[in-house]
Amino acid sequence: SAVISQKPSRDICQRGTSLTIQCQVDSQVTMMFWYRQQPGQSLTLIATANQGSEATYESGFVIDKFPISRPNLTFSTLTVSNMSPEDSSIYLCSVGGSGSSWTQYFGPGTRLLVL
Amino acid sequence: GENVEQHPSTLSVQEGDSAVIKCTYSDSASNYFPWYKQELGKGPQLIIDIRSNVGEKKDQRIAVTLNKTAKHFSLHITETQPEDSAVYFCAAKVGNEKLTFGTGTRLTIIP
């Protein structure tokens, strides 16, 4: 299994500001995913980030609001831009789910509170 | 696209009893069904998964069963312990496509 770390683990931000969340994996992976989990809710996929290509965003999520970088096979960042209180959520990085192994692993999450 | 329904939303069982959580899916092409456990303040942890070519899979006190005809799959936890208290999510997908998650079940084990 992959070991995934995220930074920061939590943050409190003011509305209108931006926060960049980092995801580091201990091995090279093809596919990385970013999810949002609103309080008490299930997981919603924001986008899929493959190295060397533009991220693919799900319906309801746009690049201007959630720009993603994927500079190499072990690292990705998600930025939450121009934040509002509605962006208060847990943001989760996930890897795997491709090739012959469909297993997907999740990081510990970043807990974001926007005031 | 795929739709996954999960029941119940909350479940309380006495320590030592069994717990069962059920999920139904809509896409008959789905062939991979993982279950995740999420403890408070942590990310989801994969606890067991099953592919569509298998009807049942066990790992110690945890088992998953799959009924492809009825398009439902279930998580069974036997001899429950306090550390089993968490939120459990089922999910389904077709091959390398994206995972679709259920709405979650909050399991509470009563000592």
Side-chain angles (χ1 to χ4, degrees), chain B residues 41 71 76-77:
Chain B
K71 292 191 286 187
H76 304 255
I77 305 174

Side-chain angles (χ1 to χ4, degrees), chain B residues 65-83:
Chain B
T65 58
L66 171 65
N67 184 326
K68 288 189 292 183
T69 302
K71 292 191 286 187
H72 67 70
F73 57 110
S74 299
L75 177 70
H76 304 255
I77 305 174
T78 60
E79 301 173 9
T80 53
Q81 302 169 3
E83 53 264 37

Side-chain angles (χ1 to χ4, degrees), chain A residues 36-44, chain B residues 2-11 21-25 34-38 44 73 86-92 99-107:
Chain A
R36 183 174 73 182
Q37 186 178 28
Q38 295 182 303
Q41 301 298 311
S42 187
L43 289 79
T44 301
Chain B
E2 175 70 281
N3 182 53
V4 178
E5 295 187 356
Q6 183 171 348
H7 299 282
S9 57
T10 61
L11 179 62
I21 303 170
K22 299 180 179 179
C23 290
T24 60
Y25 60 98
W35 284 90
Y36 290 87
K37 174 184 182 182
Q38 187 174 27
F73 57 110
V87 178
Y88 291 80
F89 291 98
C90 64
L99 275 173
T100 300
F101 285 86
T103 49
T105 296
R106 182 173 299 278
L107 175 63

Side-chain angles (χ1 to χ4, degrees), chain A residues 28-49:
Chain A
Q28 294 185 337
V29 294
T30 303
M31 299 180 73
M32 295 182 80
F33 308 89
W34 287 99
Y35 287 80
R36 183 174 73 182
Q37 186 178 28
Q38 295 182 303
Q41 301 298 311
S42 187
L43 289 79
T44 301
L45 181 63
I46 297 172
T48 302

